[in-house]
Amino acid sequence: MSTIRENLVHVMERIEKAARRVGRDPKEVKLVAVSKTVEVNRIKEAIAAGISILGENYVQEAKRKIEEIGRQVEWHFIGHLQTNKAKYAVRLFDMIHSVDSLSLAEELNRRAEKEGQVIKVMMEVNLSGERTKFGTEEEKAFELAKKIFELRNLSLVGLMTMPPYFDSPEASRPYFIKLRELKERLEKEGIPLKELSMGMSSDFEIAIEEGATYVRVGTAIFGPRSK
Ligand SMILES: *Cc1c(COP(=O)(O)O)cnc(C)c1O
């Protein structure tokens, strides 16, 4: 069985190769190690091996881990966030990738204001139209981005998407292209966005070829999840 360290070396090599293939600087691509369901001792192993950003999907689970592990790493929230957890999310996370409604954005803004901070967020866009997936619909994305951009205690830094699951990684490419094009359209409208959070274990190389600045990788680092 390969260790977390070996997995990580391999993932970093793949990130570098994918970036170089399209003439990008590999340093533009930041790796979020997705640690949902992964126990603290294994997360510590990943940190010892060089991981500096962790991605979590559940507020309660993350809270416990953050208390144990601390803040020598960045903690990013990547799951579906319920409005009633906004208060905790603002306190716990350095960035939230998955803002998908105005009501959530406004609640995060209100909570961030109370805490006297500005929190970095990305807007999650559902580009597949699948009803089971979270994220704002593509048609509403433009308006929502403009509104989030205006909230003073949120700093909108980018867009996030999660394509449907395909056996072939190549099938994700059109979704990654769409997200990049949406970012470019928003930039023309005066909303400068730096980041694209896209690509998971199965398709992060394709995402990098299409402009990803954050890839969210779990299984390829920690192995299959038990649940
Ligand atoms: C679980 C998860 C990932 C990581 O998935 P892997 O296939 O294990 O790499 C990435 N993004 C989100 C939003 C997730 O929920």
Side-chain angles (χ1 to χ4, degrees):
M1 222 179 85
S2 51
T3 65
I4 288 171
R5 184 178 292 273
E6 285 163 355
N7 291 345
L8 186 58
V9 168
H10 188 52
V11 166
M12 293 306 292
E13 278 169 7
R14 289 169 61 191
I15 289 174
E16 178 157 353
K17 275 191 193 147
R20 298 236 185 268
R21 262 201 302 279
V22 292
R24 296 184 63 198
D25 180 352
K27 290 200 197 74
E28 289 173 19
V29 184
K30 295 163 289 265
L31 175 61
V32 179
V34 176
S35 48
K36 62 177 174 234
T37 80
V38 176
E39 268 318 313
V40 163
N41 55 343
R42 308 190 68 231
I43 298 176
K44 286 182 176 166
E45 242 182 281
I47 295 170
I51 281 296
S52 58
I53 308 173
L54 290 159
E56 287 281 341
N57 291 60
Y58 308 101
V59 172
Q60 278 308 319
E61 181 185 338
K63 182 168 183 288
R64 180 175 60 79
K65 290 175 177 175
I66 295 169
E67 280 165 4
E68 257 192 89
I69 295 170
R71 298 193 167 273
Q72 78 268 33
V73 287
E74 281 183 35
W75 294 90
H76 290 199
F77 190 82
I78 63 169
H80 178 65
L81 185 59
Q82 290 167 311
T83 306
N84 62 8
K85 302 257 170 67
K87 178 169 87 178
Y88 306 103
V90 162
R91 289 180 186 161
L92 289 169
F93 297 102
D94 298 289
M95 195 186 290
I96 296 169
H97 290 226
S98 45
V99 176
D100 61 357
S101 71
L102 185 59
S103 56
L104 175 61
E106 285 175 341
E107 181 64 7
L108 285 168
N109 185 60
R110 204 167 69 80
R111 294 294 179 174
E113 190 180 357
K114 270 195 172 170
E115 305 279 326
Q117 62 178 97
V118 175
I119 181 152
K120 288 183 188 165
V121 300
M122 291 195 250
M123 183 176 78
E124 179 174 1
V125 190
N126 177 349
L127 296 168
S128 66
E130 284 182 309
R131 255 186 261 132
T132 51
K133 282 256 157 54
F134 293 110
T136 186
E137 293 161 42
E138 200 181 356
E139 307 80 63
K140 295 182 182 160
F142 223 79
E143 283 311 306
L144 181 59
K146 284 184 185 169
K147 286 177 179 156
I148 298 174
F149 187 67
E150 279 166 14
L151 296 172
R152 293 178 146 224
N153 292 74
L154 298 188
S155 168
L156 179 65
V157 297
L159 304 176
M160 184 269 231
T161 199
M162 224 172 130
Y165 180 79
F166 298 109
D167 284 333
S168 149
E170 197 54 49
S172 297
R173 191 183 298 273
Y175 298 91
F176 299 149
I177 293 175
K178 268 198 200 177
L179 196 71
R180 189 189 63 222
E181 289 175 348
L182 179 61
K183 174 175 172 283
E184 288 163 358
R185 290 211 307 278
L186 283 164
E187 280 168 341
K188 282 197 191 117
E189 294 283 317
I191 300 179
L193 298 172
K194 249 178 70 190
E195 315 290 357
L196 286 172
S197 169
M198 55 190 199
M200 320 197 333
S201 291
S202 56
D203 55 15
F204 68 85
E205 287 148 305
I206 308 287
I208 290 167
E209 288 175 12
E210 298 302 338
T213 62
Y214 282 101
V215 291
R216 309 179 309 268
V217 179
T219 312
I221 295 171
F222 294 108
R225 286 179 287 276
S226 45
K227 293 194 223 172

